[in-house]
Amino acid sequence: MFEAIEIYSIGDGLFVHRVLTGLAMLHESGSIAGMAMIGMMLGIFVAVIKGVMTAGAAVDFKYPMIAFCLYSVLFGVTVPVIVIDKVTAPGQTELQVRAPIDHVPIGAAFAGYLISGVGVKITDLMEDAMSVPGSARVTQGGWGRTLETLAAAREIGAGKFMGSDGFPEFRDSNLRYISDCIISGMQLDPTQAQRMQADPDPWKGIEYPSKFLTTETRLNADGSARSTPETIPCSDAMGRLQAAADATLPKSFGEYIDARYGGANGISAMEDALSSIGVSAAGRAQDYIAASMQAALLSEAVLKGPMTASQNSATILIQQASEQRRTQWAAEETMLKRVLQPTIGFFEAMLYAVVPFAVFAIGLGPFGLNLAMKYMILALWVQLFMPILAVVNLFQLPAM
């Protein structure tokens, strides 16, 4: 009794498991043996025809004999097979092991074991070499993860995730502060925009301590949410916003990241993303989240601020173009991720799905043997997907 042979899947492990199950059923039913017999009979028939046409000078039965020997060795014995998903979901490291499959031809099982093992080893080496410290591995859902995590900070500011425990009140108060204080302050003091962009502290950068301008807030002095709005001077609003940010922003961002990746810590995920692009993330993750949120709120607030009709029209056009570009990029990346994994799984499973036809082709002589060798190139090509993605993932990090 042979031990189970492990086959790693970098595409769709469930699909590969089902194809191997079907292959085992075909082998046990005698269908593969029947196709091999037909192929060898055709090979013998071709050899006889050649011998007749050449008056016996070109009678060559070695290829049917080679086909018979290959079939006996590669398909005369069956082994149990276990399919292991090499690519895990984002935030997970434990590999998923599928149920064992009995009666898989040893030729198909050994080819899958050898090629997938080499592919997995190359993938691991490329991920180790073509990565930066802190970045998620491609085989652990890391493809595009850095971009998604950095974009998530802006998305919660854009209102795509409202969170809980006072975050809606915090976001609404922050938006009103920017609209009532910052936009108005930029009209009165043109240097306010330059100071806002130059200050590394996202809260000091947007602070406009005016006692004459007022804003409506839904926060208490300690940053907790209040049931009714209160109108206060802009100079008093910043303290409430900072207190509310410390209490609600990390938790709400963590909930958003957890909803995407499952079990991922929001601040840790942001620190890893910043480290991936070469930014010192020590203590800066929350500042980046706050700054990204402020940028999203500022884009929304300028549409409500005290601007002229021409300024308002220009801002709307720029904002719409920016959002369309961002949506297009996000959609293209999402579509690639959705299509790529099933595509890999399809071609990966084809290695085992065409085994009956490969058995038939072997018996046809030199043409069939060459065709069977070309069919093995398919498996090698599929195994190159993940190493190449590791290089592409490395490219997008400094490119940002």
Side-chain angles (χ1 to χ4, degrees):
M1 183 64 180
F2 293 94
E3 293 185 0
I5 293 180
E6 296 180 349
I7 295 180
Y8 289 93
S9 171
I10 61 173
D12 188 344
L14 179 60
F15 184 43
V16 173
H17 183 274
R18 290 173 175 171
V19 170
L20 284 172
T21 301
L23 179 62
M25 294 173 61
L26 289 174
H27 184 274
E28 287 302 294
S29 66
S31 299
I32 293 181
M35 295 195 68
M37 186 180 301
I38 295 173
M40 284 185 280
M41 289 178 63
L42 287 176
I44 294 174
F45 178 75
V46 171
V48 171
I49 294 298
K50 285 185 178 179
V52 172
M53 295 178 64
T54 59
V59 178
D60 192 357
F61 291 103
K62 65 182 179 182
Y63 289 109
M65 293 301 298
I66 291 174
F68 176 77
C69 293
L70 286 175
Y71 175 80
S72 300
V73 172
L74 299 179
F75 301 95
V77 181
T78 61
V79 293
V81 167
I82 296 177
V83 179
I84 302 175
D85 284 296
K86 177 61 178 175
V87 180
T88 62
Q92 299 180 4
T93 57
E94 185 177 353
L95 302 180
Q96 183 174 3
V97 180
R98 305 286 175 178
I101 309 168
D102 294 325
H103 308 299
V104 177
I106 192 172
F110 184 74
Y113 166 77
L114 182 63
I115 295 175
S116 68
V118 172
V120 166
K121 184 64 176 177
I122 294 176
T123 300
D124 289 338
L125 291 175
M126 292 294 287
E127 285 192 311
D128 291 337
M130 303 295 176
S131 64
V132 294
S135 61
R137 299 175 72 88
V138 172
T139 53
Q140 295 176 3
W143 167 250
R145 175 98 70 85
T146 297
L147 289 173
E148 290 183 345
T149 303
L150 295 175
R154 187 179 182 91
E155 289 173 358
I156 65 170
K160 295 185 178 181
F161 180 80
M162 294 308 297
S164 58
D165 297 334
F167 182 78
E169 290 80 6
F170 161 67
R171 181 187 180 278
D172 180 68
S173 300
N174 199 355
L175 176 62
R176 290 179 179 274
Y177 175 82
I178 293 176
S179 179
D180 298 337
C181 303
I182 302 303
I183 302 300
S184 299
M186 291 170 63
Q187 298 289 324
L188 300 174
D189 183 5
T191 63
Q192 173 66 23
Q194 299 177 357
R195 291 198 302 269
M196 182 172 58
Q197 295 177 353
D199 201 315
D201 189 320
W203 297 109
K204 289 183 179 179
I206 67 167
E207 185 175 10
Y208 192 76
S210 173
K211 295 183 178 180
F212 302 100
L213 296 177
T214 60
T215 183
E216 191 177 85
T217 183
R218 298 174 60 189
L219 302 173
N220 293 313
D222 59 355
S224 60
R226 56 181 296 126
S227 57
T228 57
E230 179 185 2
T231 300
I232 59 174
C234 292
S235 57
D236 298 336
M238 179 52 64
R240 302 191 184 193
L241 288 175
Q242 286 185 281
D246 293 337
T248 64
L249 191 56
K251 182 178 179 181
S252 297
F253 183 75
E255 291 174 354
Y256 188 51
I257 293 297
D258 179 68
R260 280 192 167 198
Y261 304 136
N265 179 276
I267 299 299
S268 298
M270 180 57 71
E271 289 178 348
D272 292 342
L274 292 175
S275 298
S276 297
I277 59 175
V279 177
S280 177
R284 300 303 303 275
Q286 187 167 337
D287 288 344
Y288 180 85
I289 297 171
S292 299
M293 180 177 177
Q294 302 294 356
L297 293 176
L298 181 62
S299 299
E300 182 178 349
V302 292
L303 302 178
K304 304 176 181 179
M307 297 184 296
T308 64
S310 60
Q311 289 176 323
N312 195 28
S313 299
T315 302
I316 292 175
L317 291 175
I318 294 174
Q319 177 67 11
Q320 287 180 342
S322 177
E323 291 299 328
Q324 289 175 356
R325 181 190 63 182
R326 188 179 300 111
T327 302
Q328 179 183 354
W329 287 359
E332 289 175 351
E333 181 185 13
T334 301
M335 288 302 298
L336 176 62
K337 293 172 66 176
R338 288 182 178 180
V339 172
L340 187 61
Q341 198 75 11
T343 301
I344 295 175
F346 173 78
F347 286 107
E348 188 178 40
M350 286 298 294
L351 170 66
Y352 311 104
V354 300
V355 163
F357 304 100
V359 171
F360 172 79
I362 288 175
L364 299 179
F367 169 76
L369 291 173
N370 291 333
L371 189 62
M373 293 305 297
K374 291 179 180 179
Y375 138 82
M376 296 298 294
I377 301 298
L378 170 67
L380 295 175
W381 173 68
V382 170
Q383 296 300 323
L384 290 177
F385 272 92
M386 283 301 166
I388 292 175
L389 284 182
V391 179
V392 175
N393 200 47
L394 175 65
F395 167 76
Q396 74 173 4
L397 299 181
M400 291 187 297

